[in-house]
Amino acid sequence: MSEQSAARQIEVTLPDGRVVSAGAKDTPYDVARAQRLEGLETAIAARVDGTPWDLHRPLPGSCHLALIQPEDPDALEILRHSTAHVMAQAVKELFPDTRIAQGPSIADGFYYDFHRDTPFTEQDLAKIESRMRKLVKRGLPIVRHEVSRDEALRLFEEEGEPYKVHFVREKGGDVVSYYEQGDFRDFCRGPHVPNTRRLGAFKLLSVAGAYWLGSEKNEMLWRIYGTAFPTKEQLEQHLERLEEARRRDHRRLGRELDLFSLQESAGGGLVFWHARGAIVRQQIETFLREELERRGYRFVITPHIARDTLFRTSGHYDFYRENMYTLTADDEEFVVKPMNCPGHVQIYRTGLKSYRDLPLRMAEFGTVYRYERSGTLHGLFRVRGFTQDDAHIFCRPDQLLDEVDDCLDLIATVFRTFGFEKARYELSVRDPADPGKYAGTDEEWAAAEDALVRAMERRGLEHQRLEGEAVFYGPKIDVKVYDAIGRPWQLSTVQFDFNLPRRFEISYIDQESRQRTPYMVHRAILGSFERFFGILIEHYAGSFPVWLAPVQARILPVSDKVREFAEEAGRRLRAAGLRAEVDLRSEKVGAKIRDAELEKIPYMLVVGPREAERGEVSLRLRHEGDQGPMPLDRFIERARDKVARRALDN
RNA sequence: GCCAGAGUAGCUCAGUGGUAGAGCAGCUGAUUCGUAAUCAGCAGGUCGCAGGUUCAAAUCCUGUCUCUGGCUCCA
C-alpha cells in the first residue's frame, strides 16, 4: 500500500447517520470494527450504497455502509451462493477428476453443475454433505482476489477448469474477480460470506442432468441441487413446506380422490376426467359461462381438425409446426388444432362487419392438442390435449381500454371466487433495440400498450414492465396468482394480436364507410381446465369448497335401524340439488367419518334414532368436527346458500 | 428428445438366482354400533413389455415402454 493512498481519506455514512472518515483501502470490516458497529461477528456481508459487498473487500470510495445480517433478505442469496461454493469445494476434494461449471443461488436454494464421467449417486450426496460440514468447521476464510483477465485465464487453465476458462473469456472484463477458500478457487462476481464458518443450515436435495449452457447440443453435466438458510429452524420449515407440497401433489390426490387419470394405453399427456373430476370441471365451466355471458361474450364451437391451409394462412404451420399433430385423409392434409384463434377468425370473416358489430367477444372452451416432448409432460400441468377457456375480442380503437378493463375485472372476479388472494401483473412490451421483428405498426403498439397500462392503473394494479418480453404479434399482460402455500402460478393472459387480423385480412366498415382492421385481443383466464384443475387440487389440498366438491354431503346412519330415515334424507338433499350420498355400510360411525374425512367431503350428516325422531341431522364439518344437531331443512338451506354464493367456507 | 432414478396385487411397499409376500383397499359372513379404522374368513399377480444367459430369473444381460426428478432464475 503506498503512503499516498493510505493517507487519502474517504467519508463513510453509517446506518445511524454518523459520517466517519476512513482510509481509502479500508474494508467494511475495518470501518465496522473501528466504529464498533453492532453485529460484526454475525454479519454475512456488507451493503455499500445499497449493493451487497464483501466484508473484506476495500470500499470503492465515500459511501453509505451497513452490515448484512443473516436475517436480512439479501443475506439468503449470498449465503446460498457461498454454500454452493463450499459444495463445489467438497466435491472437488472427494472427486478430484471433477470439473466445475457454475453454481448460482436460485429461488429455493442453489445448485452447482459439474462435469464428471460417472454420475453422482444419492450416497455421494450424503458424503458431499458431511465433507461440507468439515469445511465449515475448519473455518476457512473466503477471500476475494482481483486479477487481470489474462492471469485469470492462466489460473483456471492451470487448474484444468475448461468451463471456468470459458466463463472468464465470455464474461470477464479487464479485471476479473475470483474467490478462494482453502485450495478451492472459483471465478465469481461475489459477494460471499467472509468465512466458511458463517454458513447457515444447508441440505443437498437432488442430482440431475443439465446441459452445459442449457443447450441440448452441448454435453450433459451433473447438477446437484441444495438449499440453505440462516438457521436450522428455517431450513426445517422449508423442508416441511416441501413435504406439504408433496402432500398436495395433484397427481397423488387425483388418484386418491378418484378425480382423473392418465393412461399408458392412451399415451402420455392425455387426461381422463373421472366422474368426480368431471363434476368439478362442470362447475367451473358453468361459473365461467355465467360470468362471460353476463359480460356479453358469445360462445362458439369450432372443429378440432381443419385443412392445413387454414394453419398455413395463420402462420402456425411455419413457426409452430413441431408442436402440431397432422393427419392425412383422401390425399388431403389436416391439422389437429393447436389453437382456437384461426377458427374464431373464420367465424369473424363470415359476413361483412360494421363498426356497430364491435366489440365482438367470441368465447370457446376449445380443446386443442399440442405435441410436447415426452420429458416435459407432468401430471395435469403439462399435457398434450387440453381445453382452453379461450376468447377473442375484436374491437375498434376507441373500445380498447374498456375491453382490457373488463378482462381485468373478469380476472379479479374469478380469482376472488377461487380464493386466490394475491396476484402479480406483468406487462410485456417490445424490445426497443429490435423493433423490426414485430408485427403491427408503432401506432398500434402504442395504443395497445396504453390501453393495457391505463386499464391496470385505473384498477390500482401494480405491474412489472418487462421490456422485450412481448411475443412478436403484440404486447400482453400475464397474471400470476399465489396459491394457499404461496407458490406462484401463471394463469391469465391478455394479449394483443396484430398478426392474425392482417394474415386473414379481416376488417370492419367504419362510420365513414372505410374498411378498417379491427384490434384483436386474445385472452384466457384459467389457461386450460386441465392445468387449472391441477392447480386447484393443490391450492385446496383436495378439499374443494362446497360448490365444487364432487360429493357435497354424506349421510352417516349410526346403525341399520335408521336406514329408512337416512335414505329419505338423502333423497331430500338430492331433490334440493345437492350432491349427496348415504353410507349404508355396516360400519361404525367412526369408520364412516374417517372415510368421509379422507375423501374430503365437506358435510357429514350423522343420523341416529334421536335425529330420525325429530327430523334432524347432526352436522359434522370437514376438518372442523361435530357442530351438533339441526333440522334437515335448515341444513339444506345452509348448504344451498353456500353453493349459490360459491362460498369458500363450509 | 437428453441425463439419472424407478416400475412386484387397486394403493403403499418387502422380496437380489431356488415354491411371489405384508398392510390397507376389495369380496363374503358376523356385528347394529353416536363423531377419524368392529371382528373373522376369502379372493387377488404375465413381478411394465420383448428377447437373452442359466438346470432354474421378480432377481443377471440387452432392447423397449411408462412414470419421477432435472435439462441457464446463471460467473
Side-chain angles (χ1 to χ4, degrees), chain A residues 109-164:
Chain A
F110 62 86
Y111 67 77
Y112 212 110
D113 284 347
F114 303 98
H115 174 90
R116 200 177 160 228
D117 291 334
T118 44
F120 294 103
T121 63
E122 293 290 319
Q123 289 81 10
D124 290 339
L125 289 195
K127 269 193 255 172
I128 295 164
E129 215 176 279
S130 67
R131 177 60 67 108
M132 286 168 72
R133 298 196 196 291
K134 276 183 200 150
L135 292 170
V136 169
K137 270 201 197 112
R138 280 171 58 193
L140 301 169
I142 301 178
V143 183
R144 178 188 175 95
H145 296 275
E146 290 182 8
V147 296
S148 72
R149 190 183 137 97
D150 284 346
E151 201 180 331
L153 283 173
R154 196 174 47 75
L155 180 79
F156 286 110
E157 259 158 28
E158 256 171 36
E159 297 216 336
E161 293 290 1
Y163 300 101
K164 286 294 159 192

Side-chain angles (χ1 to χ4, degrees), chain A residues 331-343:
Chain A
D331 296 328
E332 279 194 279
E333 203 183 334
F334 289 85
V335 170
V336 182
K337 69 172 168 180
M339 294 183 183
N340 301 302
C341 2

Side-chain angles (χ1 to χ4, degrees), chain A residues 51 145 215 266 289 416-417 465 475 479 482 501:
Chain A
T51 309
H145 296 275
S215 166
R289 192 168 281 122
R416 201 181 324 113
T417 304
R465 188 187 171 85
V479 192
Y482 294 84

Side-chain angles (χ1 to χ4, degrees), chain A residues 547-599:
Chain A
W547 71 282
L548 287 171
V551 178
Q552 295 167 319
R554 181 177 286 167
I555 295 167
L556 313 177
V558 161
S559 83
D560 239 9
K561 288 176 187 153
V562 288
R563 180 191 184 113
E564 236 171 75
F565 175 68
E567 288 185 314
E568 172 58 20
R571 276 193 293 277
R572 289 198 33 211
L573 292 179
R574 285 189 292 271
L578 295 166
R579 296 185 288 275
E581 297 176 349
V582 186
D583 186 346
L584 291 170
R585 295 174 305 160
S586 95
E587 292 284 354
K588 294 190 185 177
V589 230
K592 293 180 181 183
I593 284 170
R594 180 181 145 84
D595 290 341
E597 287 277 0
L598 290 175
E599 287 176 54

Side-chain angles (χ1 to χ4, degrees), chain A residues 318-338:
Chain A
D318 297 324
F319 63 83
Y320 208 69
R321 188 171 191 165
E322 57 279 17
N323 290 95
M324 301 197 309
Y325 289 102
T326 54
L327 40 115
T328 309
D330 289 343
D331 296 328
E332 279 194 279
E333 203 183 334
F334 289 85
V335 170
V336 182
K337 69 172 168 180

